Amino acid sequence: MGIKLLVPLEVLGGIVVWASSGYPCTPGHWAASWKLAAASCTVHDSRGVVRVDVNLQDEDIDQCSSSGWFAGTHRCNLTTMECKPVPGHGFVLDKYKCQCKRGFYSPSRVALNGVSKSEQGLYSDESSDVSPRCLPCREGCSFCRDDSPCLAQEDGVLRVAVASFQGLCMLLDFISMPLVYHFRRNKRIKASGLILLEAIVAGAVLLYFPVMILYFQPSVFRCILLRWVRLLGFATVYGTVILKLYRVLKVFLSRTAQRIPYMTSWRVLRLLAAILLVVLWFLVAWTLAMCQSTDIHHALVEMGVTPEGLHFNMCLLDRWDYMMAVAEFLFLLWGVYLCYAVRTVPSAFHEPRYMAVAIYNELLISAIFHIIRFTLAPGLHPDWMLMLFFVHTHLTVTVTLGLLLIPKFVFTGTHMQDDIATEAYEDELDMGRSGSYLNSSITSAWSEHSLDPEDIR
């Protein structure tokens, strides 16, 4: 049995060339056959016959191709699938694979045309009634095998509760600023310094922001803002606390305290401004480095994977973040040294003790926080990351505010005259004697303590 076709090819000098082509179908064998016959247009005679047989049994049929005899004869739905030829089957039809495009999946993996089920993809077979189809993956999934979600599902109730409580804390923080100013004539607030307390409260507002930022999905702007508010808030709060300890050390670790110029709140603020300028320079340099990247989104936002294989977006942690963490650690170590140096210094209302506890607490909690963050962040669920920042914020910032503000409004008893020896009423000194020396009453109160040379050292 075979298929033959006789067509005229051309006329050359009165000679008609006829081509007889066909596919003789012998069992298990396919061959293409061409016969060329030359004949005269005027005289019915034969000039010759040429026959060419080509064995096609080992030639694969590509029904997925866009050109050729069998081009476009596949039955794949090109909207959701792509046709992939399966080589090695010879001159046989329907040897192609309908493979789901990226972003689609097959609801049922069916074995067709003698192909094992272990092979991926959907195969077409002319004798099969199966109509393979591909369904779109879940939202946000670029690749999937079934209808299972590939993105980490966030707990909306938990995140709203955390953000609401954080917003309440920020509101209370804002309220405490005019409250501190209202009680500015309180001896405890005057001894601590109104301006410095307001600076600490303002910095705490910045430190509360990271939790609110992590409530939303990561983006280039939010990842940049996350670093800015963290570093500026840390430098403001703990820079002020450490400089207050430095002022105590500067004034009292000498037997000739009356010859040392008193460090007013404005002078401490100038030192704090210098620290903030260094932090701003670092943040600007980091931001410019990120903006110069060819792909700023991938330079700041990456894809994390939970142990269950669920994907989520997160702010990328790079060497800059390690540098920021190390800088915070070294800065706190300087504060620890100052806490140790002023441990025996008599103080008005024992504020250096509270500041020392705040610094020790920040150093310990932040060390644990950064270890967990840098080691587990790529696989930590977004809800757990939000809770990690939430707990870290309240174990450090809230505790620091409580240590520094609550004793200012809670009267715990009377104080003897020699207990008010370190920090004079700064508002009075700043108004008229900011450049003067400690007055004689402070000097006499200091001399009554009679510290030994070892304590002074």
Side-chain angles (χ1 to χ4, degrees), residues 265-321:
S265 295
W266 293 108
R267 187 175 178 185
V268 173
L269 283 179
R270 286 195 293 269
L271 294 177
L272 179 62
I275 295 175
L276 292 177
L277 283 177
V278 174
V279 174
L280 281 173
W281 174 84
F282 177 85
L283 289 172
V284 170
W286 171 78
T287 305
L288 292 177
M290 292 296 104
C291 293
Q292 291 177 356
S293 176
T294 55
D295 190 351
I296 185 173
H297 184 270
H298 287 87
L300 288 170
V301 183
E302 70 170 350
M303 183 73 71
V305 183
T306 65
E308 294 78 16
L310 301 177
H311 295 78
F312 61 92
N313 289 327
M314 59 173 290
C315 293
L316 178 66
L317 297 176
D318 55 11
R319 61 181 182 276
W320 292 89
D321 294 279

Side-chain angles (χ1 to χ4, degrees), residues 235-433:
T236 303
V237 173
Y238 295 98
T240 305
V241 172
I242 290 176
L243 288 176
K244 284 169 65 67
L245 289 172
Y246 175 74
R247 177 175 62 178
V248 174
L249 181 66
K250 186 76 172 178
V251 172
F252 290 100
L253 290 187
S254 173
R255 287 185 180 273
T256 59
Q258 69 276 10
R259 298 180 182 177
I260 300 177
Y262 183 74
M263 291 184 63
T264 64
S265 295
W266 293 108
R267 187 175 178 185
V268 173
L269 283 179
R270 286 195 293 269
L271 294 177
L272 179 62
I275 295 175
L276 292 177
L277 283 177
V278 174
V279 174
L280 281 173
W281 174 84
F282 177 85
L283 289 172
V284 170
W286 171 78
T287 305
L288 292 177
M290 292 296 104
C291 293
Q292 291 177 356
S293 176
T294 55
D295 190 351
I296 185 173
H297 184 270
H298 287 87
L300 288 170
V301 183
E302 70 170 350
M303 183 73 71
V305 183
T306 65
E308 294 78 16
L310 301 177
H311 295 78
F312 61 92
N313 289 327
M314 59 173 290
C315 293
L316 178 66
L317 297 176
D318 55 11
R319 61 181 182 276
W320 292 89
D321 294 279
Y322 292 100
M323 293 172 59
M324 296 176 190
V326 171
E328 290 182 6
F329 184 76
L330 295 177
F331 192 66
L332 290 174
L333 285 182
W334 181 42
V336 170
Y337 163 75
L338 293 177
C339 293
Y340 179 80
V342 302
R343 69 192 187 281
T344 58
V345 173
S347 171
F349 313 111
H350 309 290
E351 188 180 41
R353 299 180 187 178
Y354 300 124
M355 292 189 293
V357 174
I359 291 178
Y360 293 145
N361 177 72
E362 172 69 27
L363 181 65
L364 177 62
I365 300 299
S366 291
I368 299 175
F369 165 76
H370 287 303
I371 291 175
I372 296 176
R373 183 188 179 197
F374 291 136
T375 55
L376 301 180
L380 198 60
H381 193 280
D383 291 342
W384 287 107
M385 179 61 72
L386 179 67
M387 290 299 301
L388 179 64
F389 271 81
F390 177 78
V391 173
H392 171 255
T393 300
H394 290 285
L395 288 181
T396 55
V397 182
T398 306
V399 171
T400 299
L401 290 178
L403 290 171
L404 298 181
L405 294 181
I406 292 179
K408 302 293 187 298
F409 302 99
V410 178
F411 186 74
T412 58
T414 58
H415 296 272
M416 301 300 294
Q417 181 181 0
D418 60 347
D419 192 32
I420 308 176
T422 56
E423 296 175 275
Y425 298 151
E426 297 181 7
D427 288 345
E428 299 176 2
L429 292 174
D430 291 345
M431 291 176 60
R433 293 171 288 169

Side-chain angles (χ1 to χ4, degrees), residues 66-106:
S66 59
S67 62
W69 290 347
F70 300 94
T73 58
H74 62 83
R75 289 176 291 174
C76 299
N77 183 0
L78 296 181
T79 303
T80 60
M81 302 176 182
E82 53 186 0
C83 181
K84 296 290 184 182
V86 181
H89 291 277
F91 203 73
V92 180
L93 291 174
D94 297 320
K95 293 302 178 182
Y96 59 87
K97 178 173 61 174
C98 293
Q99 180 175 301
C100 293
K101 289 184 177 181
R102 187 176 182 87
F104 295 86
Y105 74 95
S106 171

